[in-house]
Amino acid sequence: MLRERTVRLQYGSRVEAVYVLGTQLWTDVYSAAPAGAQTFGLKHSERVRVEVVRDGQAEEVATNGKQRWPLSPSTTLRLTMSQASPEASSDKVTVSYYEEEGITPVDQAGLFLTAIEISLDVDADRDGVVEKNNPRKASWTWGPEGQGAILLVNCDRDTPWLPQEDCSDEKVYSKEDLKDMSQMILRTKGPEHLPAGYEIVLYISMSDSDKVGVFCVETLQGIKKLLLELPRVLPPCVWQYPFFGQRYVHILGRRKLYHVVKYSGGSEELLFFVEGLRFPDEGFAGLVSIHVSLLEYMAETGVKSTLTRPPDLSHAQEIPLTPVFTDTVTFRIAPWIMTPNILPPVSVFVCCMKDNYLFLKEVKNLVEKTSCELKVCFQYMNRGDRWIQDEIEFGYIEAPHKGFPVVLDSPRDGNLKDFPVKQLLGPDFGYVTREPLFETVTSLDSFGNLEVSPPVTVDGKTYPLGRILIGSSFPLSGGRRMTRVVRDFLQAQQVQVPVELYSDWLTVGHVDEFVTFVPIPGTKKFRMLMASTSACYKLFREKQKEGHGEAIMFKAPHRAQELLSLYRCVQGVGDRSAAAPICLPLTS
């Protein structure tokens, strides 16, 4: 934040400046002195606090102007104010220059101040309320004691007839859409008008323009008076509706990098709604910043420096816009978080196929005994693809003001590829996907190969949301891996740091084929269950000794070949190291 600035004085002239509460204004009295001046005196308004700083020592100045100080290159003035000015240029500081023994001033320099308050505010303490001027609003730290505002990617679809997520356009169609956004307030206080040559601008950097969007409320002209009369003639359900007489205008994001804020005077709070456009990913840590600056137009007129507004837009580019005050807020875009399978289920999704009637019936009977909901994906939607677990993975995003589930769509894109958008994306149910541009999609890109542990401690470090588990190839083996864009996406979320486990030894290669987690009843603890090839081999040996060595296990020829390959691995015919998965050391 820009908290200090310097104003240049010049004898025989009047300089107007806007002072922002909470900052310091410096001026050099020595450089502005006329020839022959040896000392100076000061007069100032009661609302202005003036200090003479000489050789690092500060001395507060009384308002009467009777005291004099010798001029020296090391002498400067430090000005501060504690309240806004009632009128523009109503607070003054007058510097009178004297000869060594003179009584009458040789000349004077005048500084006319307009004090205003500017504060860009967000919910930096994460309590659901936008507090005023939190000193840590421009920084961000993790944890329950951390500080910094949180922003949701507006990836649900609150308006059913829209084809894509709400963040895909620059419009607000419903009040439900606004509830997904974080609020930001610009608070200003000051006189009715600012001096000529000043402007308040809200802006973002070019690098953040594709990651954040900002909307402001605009009351439609011609009905402001009507809005004041509504409480007397209409029921609250009508006049309190946020879209009655208002529209929400997209002012920042994508191609819009700045927005000029209209200064209305008095004490005012301008409400903005902020949405996230992108999740954290490779090259984007998830932090975005929004700035507000008080800009000053500078122009040279003759031999003295004054502040003027450019006469027309054709000259505006020739006049530099100087920020004299900047306030900044920082948001972190909420990461996508996976949920472990030991949590109580809310909904159960299952595909209806031609050959799974009995299975579907058993699942339905089981779900009826619980408090969760059964959702069946019928054949017109699954188109013969039963592996719904491989197509999608459920997670969620959360901020102090709101949270909702978000489905991650795999790049597998089987016949179920339309299911997430057509059946899941909707009000308070978001959608995100990652598609590789050039990499080949393999079985390891199916989301049976994506799991998450319960909360764990690994090597002394606690992961309160667990760790993501991904099946992968053995290092240096050159085998299959999950596509890089998905791995980068999961890594960038930071809160569930992924671990790659060796699963490429399996034909399908999914991590859920050999590891899962089960809760311990009556406690918050859990157990990790792992499939054991050696236990399987031991079981085969026992059944062989019992006379079942010729029993058919799989009728399909390719299944028999898989079993034979596993048998040879355990016997030592194949690569024994490839028959045992590497396990992540987890503790409950």
Side-chain angles (χ1 to χ4, degrees):
M1 294 184 186
L2 195 58
R3 294 302 185 189
E4 292 187 354
R5 60 176 293 217
T6 299
V7 173
R8 180 183 175 185
L9 295 178
Q10 189 169 347
Y11 69 88
S13 68
R14 160 180 170 160
V15 175
E16 293 184 347
V18 172
Y19 170 85
V20 180
L21 298 184
T23 65
Q24 293 181 346
L25 205 61
W26 293 83
T27 184
D28 180 5
V29 293
Y30 180 80
S31 299
Q38 299 295 319
T39 62
F40 70 96
L42 291 167
K43 286 185 179 181
H44 60 86
S45 305
E46 291 185 358
R47 281 187 295 269
V48 185
R49 183 172 184 262
V50 182
E51 294 175 287
V52 176
V53 181
R54 295 184 296 169
D55 300 320
Q57 299 296 317
E59 178 185 353
E60 189 169 352
V61 179
T63 60
N64 55 27
K66 294 181 179 180
Q67 189 174 357
R68 294 190 190 181
W69 292 267
L71 282 170
S72 70
S74 62
T75 301
T76 56
L77 301 183
R78 181 167 59 197
L79 313 178
T80 56
M81 298 181 67
S82 59
Q83 56 183 304
S85 301
E87 298 178 5
S89 303
S90 59
D91 294 293
K92 306 176 182 66
V93 176
T94 302
V95 181
S96 299
Y97 293 99
Y98 300 88
E99 293 179 343
E100 188 169 1
E101 300 295 335
I103 299 177
T104 304
V106 176
D107 212 329
Q108 291 182 325
L111 178 60
F112 289 71
L113 297 174
T114 303
I116 64 171
E117 182 179 353
I118 300 177
S119 179
L120 187 61
D121 297 319
V122 292
D123 180 18
D125 58 5
R126 305 173 193 164
D127 63 352
V129 178
V130 179
E131 66 274 9
K132 184 176 180 180
N133 210 15
N134 188 311
R136 300 170 65 182
K137 62 187 176 182
S139 60
W140 211 97
T141 52
W142 291 100
E145 303 301 324
Q147 290 277 327
I150 300 175
L151 195 60
L152 297 179
V153 175
N154 197 7
C155 59
D156 67 340
R157 184 171 58 191
D158 290 310
T159 306
W161 46 266
L162 291 178
Q164 294 178 300
E165 308 94 296
D166 291 336
C167 62
S168 63
D169 58 30
E170 300 177 358
K171 297 182 182 298
V172 174
Y173 294 96
S174 71
K175 62 181 181 179
E176 298 303 320
D177 195 8
L178 294 176
K179 293 179 180 179
D180 298 337
M181 304 183 193
S182 297
Q183 292 188 2
M184 180 176 70
I185 297 176
L186 177 61
R187 294 180 167 100
T188 59
K189 186 177 182 181
E192 185 177 356
H193 300 288
L194 294 179
Y198 287 92
E199 208 163 54
I200 299 175
V201 175
L202 201 67
Y203 64 96
I204 58 176
S205 66
M206 176 72 77
S207 60
D208 286 344
S209 62
D210 62 339
K211 303 174 182 70
V212 64
V214 180
F215 294 83
C216 73
V217 186
E218 183 178 278
T219 302
L220 300 180
Q221 295 296 324
I223 64 170
K224 290 184 178 180
K225 293 182 179 180
L226 174 62
L227 292 176
L228 297 176
E229 300 295 326
L230 288 180
R232 296 192 300 178
V233 297
L234 292 177
C237 62
V238 176
W239 62 264
Q240 288 182 350
Y241 185 68
F243 281 75
F244 192 90
Q246 296 176 328
R247 64 174 180 172
Y248 292 83
V249 182
H250 183 264
I251 61 170
L252 292 178
R254 296 186 173 92
R255 298 173 303 277
K256 302 169 185 175
L257 300 181
Y258 73 95
H259 171 73
V260 178
V261 179
K262 182 181 179 181
Y263 177 80
S264 300
S267 182
E268 187 175 25
E269 294 186 355
L270 297 178
L271 179 61
F272 300 91
F273 295 88
V274 188
E275 66 174 354
L277 304 180
R278 282 183 53 192
F279 280 96
D281 213 328
E282 175 69 15
F284 172 45
L287 294 175
V288 294
S289 294
I290 302 176
H291 317 272
V292 63
S293 284
L294 176 66
L295 299 184
E296 181 180 75
Y297 290 89
M298 300 297 297
E300 295 295 329
T301 305
V303 295
K304 66 178 183 178
S305 176
T306 61
L307 295 171
T308 62
R309 181 174 297 276
D312 56 61
L313 293 177
S314 63
H315 296 285
Q317 294 182 351
E318 303 173 6
I319 303 173
L321 280 68
T322 305
V324 296
F325 171 81
T326 299
D327 203 10
T328 299
V329 295
T330 297
F331 291 91
R332 178 176 289 280
I333 293 182
W336 180 80
I337 302 173
M338 284 182 65
T339 50
N341 65 327
I342 67 168
L343 295 178
V346 177
S347 301
V348 176
F349 292 81
V350 62
C351 286
C352 176
M353 311 297 294
K354 294 180 179 179
D355 58 356
N356 73 341
Y357 171 76
L358 293 178
F359 169 75
L360 202 62
K361 183 178 180 181
E362 291 176 357
V363 171
K364 182 178 180 181
N365 292 336
L366 179 63
V367 170
E368 287 177 350
K369 299 177 182 179
T370 69
S371 59
C372 56
E373 179 184 9
L374 179 65
K375 296 186 177 182
V376 179
C377 178
F378 293 99
Q379 295 180 49
Y380 77 90
M381 179 57 62
N382 65 53
R383 297 183 297 174
D385 187 353
R386 72 182 70 218
W387 303 112
I388 193 169
Q389 164 67 15
D390 287 338
E391 184 64 36
I392 59 174
E393 187 66 54
F394 290 116
Y396 69 96
I397 57 177
E398 190 172 31
H401 67 283
K402 185 71 178 285
F404 53 80
V406 176
V407 61
L408 177 62
D409 189 5
S410 79
R412 164 185 182 261
D413 284 348
N415 289 336
L416 272 164
K417 65 180 181 179
D418 295 332
F419 170 73
V421 173
K422 292 186 176 181
Q423 298 294 315
L424 298 179
L425 177 61
D428 291 340
F429 207 119
Y431 171 85
V432 63
T433 188
R434 288 295 180 268
E435 299 282 349
L437 293 177
F438 306 108
E439 289 182 274
T440 301
V441 175
T442 69
S443 173
L444 269 63
D445 292 304
S446 298
F447 283 169
N449 193 36
L450 177 61
E451 299 295 330
V452 66
S453 76
V456 294
T457 300
V458 181
D459 295 333
K461 183 174 181 179
T462 300
Y463 296 87
L465 297 172
R467 296 191 70 175
I468 289 175
L469 308 179
I470 301 171
S472 188
S473 60
F474 195 76
L476 306 179
S477 68
R480 298 169 298 173
R481 294 185 73 186
M482 180 177 284
T483 187
R484 184 179 181 88
V485 291
V486 178
R487 286 186 284 118
D488 287 346
F489 172 80
L490 298 173
Q491 186 75 37
Q493 308 313 305
Q494 299 188 51
V495 293
Q496 298 174 307
V497 182
V499 175
E500 294 189 50
L501 308 181
Y502 179 32
S503 68
D504 193 31
W505 64 283
L506 292 163
T507 299
V508 176
H510 292 179
V511 70
D512 69 352
E513 295 182 89
F514 61 83
V515 63
T516 191
F517 302 91
V518 294
I520 300 177
T523 72
K524 293 184 178 181
K525 298 182 179 181
F526 66 91
R527 288 191 175 94
M528 182 177 73
L529 303 184
M530 290 192 63
S532 171
T533 53
S534 59
C536 178
Y537 175 66
K538 181 180 178 181
L539 178 63
F540 287 164
R541 277 295 193 187
E542 291 175 355
K543 296 304 175 183
Q544 185 182 45
K545 291 178 182 179
E546 294 172 3
H548 303 293
E550 300 299 323
I552 297 176
M553 188 170 183
F554 297 111
K555 291 184 179 181
H558 70 281
R559 290 293 186 185
Q561 185 62 39
E562 290 176 16
L563 185 61
L564 179 60
S565 299
L566 175 62
Y567 176 80
R568 288 177 175 174
C569 283
V570 179
Q571 282 285 67
V573 177
D575 182 4
R576 183 180 295 270
S577 64
I582 298 174
C583 172
L584 169 68
L586 303 176
T587 62
S588 59

